[in-house]
Amino acid sequence: LERVQQTIQAPARKTQAIAQLAITFAQAGDLENALELTPQVKDTLHKATLLAYIASGFAERGNQEKAKGTLDEAIRLANQITLSSNQANVCAAIARASAKMGDSSQALRFLQKALQTVSQSTRETAIEVIGHLIPVMDDLGGTQLLSDVYTELQRADEIFND
């Protein structure tokens, strides 16, 4: 962390690097380090995404109370994001955390929201979001969702190839 703070001077890049580091900690199950970095993540998009990953970690540990509180904060922040292409990744992360918590209706709502934004995203973002959605669909056992994702991929591919 010190190295990131010393070598990266641009505030936006620094917060993005710290957020990515914290997300990596959360994905690896090191929730303590992820939580420690959370206050340093200043932008709404990265903080909402980070909190969704932390909520997933709490759900995997069986701590539903902390998972719910953390996910509620992620959702509150996600609702403040206005640029739809930015919403795709955070919605996918929220959908995954919701699925891990056993809240399939909320997971489906955020899956659909993420799918709606895919066609408005860059090709790279669309691929990344789809990568996040596949495990959620697996958790939910949704073949119709897989069909919806495939349709959105085709739509996105048409947009990018025009």
Side-chain angles (χ1 to χ4, degrees):
L1 179 61
E2 284 181 35
R3 183 179 241 169
V4 168
Q5 291 177 329
Q6 291 172 353
T7 57
I8 302 174
Q9 299 303 314
R13 287 186 183 252
K14 187 179 292 192
T15 211
Q16 185 177 7
I18 292 169
Q20 203 53 52
L21 179 62
I23 287 169
T24 302
F25 280 137
Q27 289 173 322
D30 187 350
L31 303 182
E32 291 74 24
N33 275 322
L35 283 167
E36 187 178 313
L37 292 175
T38 301
Q40 295 181 50
V41 179
K42 303 298 183 198
D43 71 283
T44 305
L45 172 66
H46 289 102
K47 187 170 264 188
T49 304
L50 170 59
L51 290 172
Y53 278 105
I54 291 171
S56 288
F58 282 134
E60 287 174 356
R61 288 184 178 179
N63 191 335
Q64 295 296 315
E65 189 176 313
K66 277 191 172 183
K68 182 173 178 1
T70 306
L71 189 58
D72 286 348
E73 178 64 10
I75 291 169
R76 186 188 70 74
L77 291 171
N79 287 331
Q80 296 174 15
I81 300 168
T82 55
L83 188 60
S84 61
S85 63
N86 287 341
Q87 289 177 334
N89 279 326
V90 74
C91 286
I94 290 171
R96 188 164 198 188
S98 298
K100 287 181 187 276
M101 291 173 54
D103 189 345
S104 57
S105 63
Q106 180 168 281
L108 288 170
R109 277 195 315 276
F110 279 93
L111 259 176
Q112 290 168 338
K113 193 171 183 178
L115 281 174
Q116 290 168 352
T117 63
V118 165
S119 61
Q120 301 166 13
S121 303
T122 65
R123 183 182 195 103
E124 292 78 19
T125 299
I127 291 168
E128 183 180 344
V129 169
I130 298 304
H132 290 298
L133 294 180
I134 290 171
V136 178
M137 289 181 296
D138 189 42
D139 289 345
L140 296 172
T143 53
Q144 178 58 47
L145 292 172
L146 194 53
S147 174
D148 292 347
V149 169
Y150 182 72
T151 300
E152 287 301 323
L153 272 175
Q154 287 180 316
R155 199 175 297 154
D157 196 46
E158 289 170 10
I159 292 168
F160 297 124
N161 287 325
D162 285 343

